[in-house]
Amino acid sequence: MSKSGKNTGALHEMEGITPPSSLSDKVANKVKERRKKTLSNEELLKGLLSGDKSALSRAITLVESTKTTHRKQAAQLLESCLPHANNSLRIGITGVPGVGKSTFIESFGKLYTGQGHNVAVLAVDPSSRLSRGSILGDKTRMEELVKDKNAFIRPSASGTSLGGVARKTREAIILCEAAGYNIIIIETVGVGQSETVVHSMTDFFLLLKLAGAGDELQGIKRGIMEMADAIVINKADGENVKAAKLAKTEFNRALHLFPEKESGWSPKTLTCSALQNEGIHEIGELIERYVEKTKANGFFQRRRNEQNEFWLLQTIENALKNEFYEDPRIKAELKKQLEALGDNKTTPFEAANYLLGLYKKHQ
């Protein structure tokens, strides 16, 4: 709270505070040098297992790095973390921009931290196709959760990845689990019906909707609705309560059009107001019932096994793709083929077949 009595954002909480005059330049430089220091895998692993948030942030940065020298180190670190992973509940949350994902996740995360859980939020921001930059502003919209000692929030850019997740979200999950976070929340960028990737790395998939947004008919379409384990109508407060209840009825009707899930679970529709913190507890109870049911019938573990198989194939595809484009001969010939394509001397298919043939020839 500022002197004027108005609420201020997280970015302005320290406004007006200056460092004490007793701060030594020597000490400040020492801190800066320590931050610049590259930690070994042993140091990173030790920090992760002790729950050090700084070590976790550095580890995620390492696995997100595209540098060739970092890939081997990242692979070794992930392998060391595996014995300490797979001990969390992974929850995917998606919805169109403006549905209130950040506000919902803050209330939802506080519910779990209040119950003694450690919560990690992997928030994915969309990247600009022109500048390839990303705001990464999710922390500023989760002012309370970011200050919770039992919570860790990591915003990442989606880059060129499809499915609303960052390129290394799967690896970040393993690191968070090794650091002791037993509730992993993955917030997608909200890109409509292309959320298959985040669905393939989570145990429970939650779809946030708005009442009166004209997307009730979208609920009838196959795609993201078919993947959802629960639909939550957010912003059910004030004058919007009646519309939210009506939307809940409409979505429940739409859910009956879909075939029974392999999990044996029947998706439910709930309403909530993340801003007023109403209906959040009921969502937590719903997820608890889902976990109990799917663990009892064996689907929970079976899905985890399917996720590992999926990411094995994805890892192979990514490795082959990187190897292909990093080949010096391919780099040189690709430039020539692009020029020939621009001059209408070849077609995309002929150029692709030529490059692939060249790559195979030298293997």
Side-chain angles (χ1 to χ4, degrees), residues 298-322:
F299 177 80
F300 191 94
Q301 187 56 49
R302 190 162 67 251
R303 175 143 184 77
R304 282 286 179 97
N305 294 338
E306 290 173 356
Q307 290 175 11
N308 289 333
E309 290 175 8
F310 176 84
W311 285 100
L312 166 65
L313 299 177
Q314 286 289 306
T315 302
I316 292 172
E317 288 180 19
N318 291 336
L320 289 173
K321 183 178 177 181
N322 290 333

Side-chain angles (χ1 to χ4, degrees), residues 10-27:
L11 287 176
H12 304 287
E13 286 196 359
M14 302 302 293
E15 186 176 359
I17 298 178
T18 56
S21 56
S22 58
L23 182 64
S24 166
D25 290 337
K26 184 178 180 181
V27 173

